[in-house]
Amino acid sequence: MSTRTSATPSESAQSLHHAMSGLAGPLSSGEGAAPDFAAAPRAAAGEEKSVLILGAGVGGLTAAYELGKLGYRCTVLEPQERTGGRNRTARNGDKLYELDGEGNAPVLTHTCGFDKGLYLNLGPGRIPYHHRRVLKYCTDLKVALEPYVMETTANVLHRAGHTPPGRPWRNRRIANDTRGHLAALLSATLTGRDEFTGLLRDLLRKFGDLDEEGEYHGSTRSGYTEPLDVHDFPAPAPPLGLADLVTSEFWKHRFYQPVDYLWQAMMFQPVGGMDKIVTALTERITSAYDVTVALKAEVTSVDLTGDGVGVTYRSGGKEMTAKADYCVSNIPLPVLKQLTLTGFSREFANAVTAVDYAPTCKVGWQANRRFWEDDHHQIYGGISWTDHPITQFWYPSNDYFSQAGTLTGAYNFGDHAEDMGKRSPAERLALARDGAAQLHKEFLEKTTVPQDLGVTIAWHKVPHQLGGWADWDPSDPAHQVAYKQLLQPEGEGRFYVVGDQASPLPGWQEGAMMSAQYVTAQIHGLLPRTAPETVQVPDAAFLTQGL
């Protein structure tokens, strides 16, 4: 019987240090040991240190949770009327705001009209099974989880000029017919009669569902021509032609994204909406620990020139100041660079401005009839893909067989997101409906999918956010310098940056929570406050879009 020695706090912290700096992998997993905060010493009564946490996103709330447990006195300053940051779930009556066309004053874009009980996650929408931090916090906070379905073989793909509107290709036909054709081509090249070649030939028959001659004529894996009948067993659907599949370039439209480790089954979502995590975190830190959350408190400046950290913020129409031993900033970098920062190094100022935040948009619809679950579509969760600017179309992974439901009618990036964000809310919904109708003709019926129940969000125009995630590029030398800089504090260990923006998982809650643990360990002396000589910059496009 073997024995396993538990890691010491310093060893656990070093594992996290490696994960945070890209020296432990895989980068996309978020795995790696967290510091053993339970074994860390707490301050004696009357000697507790104070911390100002700027921003109540997932990273800031997690930092408050960990620091609060260790006995720090924390005050969270949040400019919005809610906690959660980009963890945003739209429900009936919620008001959505974006900056106006000049990028200045916030304007009301939608008042969500979903039926009571319906909701749609406008920010993070899924939790991979290997995001162990998120899952552990959900367990500790008693946030109930249910499966999130990333892909079903009934999902569809539409390519303009290749698949007619309303008659896109099924996932199973693309996947299995492509496999069959390629297996047949490879099998035809095998001329040897040795044992290994025979085994390889047999493997290809099973892999591609080939006939005894090694040819592909279609497969039941791709579905049947008609439903099963008591009198006859229907034939397999005729295969899509190899030339049609190749010229469609289906693989360029994220068809294989669900195969990548980050999106592989199993995935989860909180029952009732992703914001259940935010609600649970907020309730725990304010009820169990010495943590105060101040809403509608907009930070305008941070000063490191004196003892401790000085912060100026606006609240209730007044300018106010606060001071603490430490400051943890969960403010998105595009917002942070707009603040007055005094006493910071030139290197830090350069790091804050080095990386942009990625533009991204989402659209949500209420459907009064769950048509995607009917006898024709038979879709229960997953994502359909298209070359239309909406990019992808999500089906709900909850409340199956009920009357109504919500659909994510667009989730796009880059130029498509920039273009959609420039449009008015009504124009965005019109564009999204056009794309959805190319997948499902039911979107031509506004009684089935009411126009006035649609919602949109352009995250790069949302006040206090200004984007979806830090758009890190490992090939950019400036990003290599900036990312390392953000992993170490300013002001002799008084000011820290936290959030998925300073983690190996930009755009993911796991990254935000990993960063919060990392910074907590630095403040508490479990980790060094200087980053390793070599750090690996995350590839944001790959980690968020599968590209």
Side-chain angles (χ1 to χ4, degrees), residues 55 68 87-88 93 104 115 128 147 149 209-210 274 276 309 344 389 448 525:
N87 180 323
R88 180 74 193 267
N104 299 314
D115 291 351
V149 180
D209 203 13
L210 309 181
M274 192 62 75
K276 296 296 184 181
V309 183
F344 288 78
T448 301

Side-chain angles (χ1 to χ4, degrees), residues 444-509:
L444 300 175
E445 309 163 8
K446 293 188 178 180
T447 54
T448 301
V449 186
Q451 191 79 359
D452 61 347
L453 296 184
V455 296
T456 71
I457 191 166
W459 278 104
H460 48 292
K461 297 183 67 177
V462 173
H464 314 297
Q465 302 299 328
L466 301 185
W469 48 81
D471 202 11
W472 292 111
D473 179 356
S475 67
D476 188 331
H479 286 195
Q480 295 173 12
V481 175
Y483 183 70
K484 178 179 177 179
Q485 184 67 38
L486 294 176
L487 296 181
Q488 44 200 17
E490 286 286 296
E492 299 178 348
R494 290 176 289 163
F495 182 92
Y496 299 78
V497 172
V498 77
D500 62 285
Q501 60 191 355
S503 85
L505 285 167
W508 292 90
Q509 295 177 108

